[in-house]
Amino acid sequence: LTCFEHHKELGVTEISRQVGLHKSTAYTLISTLASCGLLEHDAATGRYRLGLTLLRLGLRVDRSLRDVARTEEGLNQADSE
């Protein structure tokens, strides 16, 4: 997934080169990620991009981090009282 940090879309060959896996192995992993919604396949170009499931997971992490920050603030305030 980190292959997409600097690229909007990548093909199987590009991904396999970046991660150092044989193309068939990379394709199997990419297919699995796509079936989970972590990657999306553009049928017109044959390339892949990050999927919406990653956005949903990222938003969940963001909410969790904000909850932790609020909890820490509350604990710090309680300690100072």
Side-chain angles (χ1 to χ4, degrees):
L1 294 175
T2 57
C3 295
F4 294 92
E5 190 172 2
H6 301 289
H7 304 279
K8 184 177 179 179
E9 292 185 337
L10 293 167
V12 174
T13 302
E14 295 163 304
I15 295 169
S16 70
R17 285 186 189 140
Q18 285 193 32
V19 298
L21 295 173
H22 190 275
K23 191 174 172 179
S24 63
T25 304
Y27 177 77
T28 300
L29 294 171
I30 291 165
S31 296
T32 301
L33 292 170
S35 72
C36 297
L38 298 172
L39 292 179
E40 292 181 356
H41 182 247
D42 183 335
T45 65
R47 296 164 70 82
Y48 292 85
R49 61 181 164 264
L50 296 175
L52 292 177
T53 299
L54 279 175
L55 176 61
R56 284 194 293 276
L57 292 172
L59 291 172
R60 176 177 268 173
V61 169
D62 182 55
R63 283 192 299 269
S64 295
L65 291 175
R66 283 187 274 151
D67 290 344
V68 168
R70 281 192 291 264
T71 301
E72 287 177 347
E73 285 177 22
L75 291 173
N76 288 337
Q77 287 176 353
D79 284 344
S80 64
E81 293 176 356

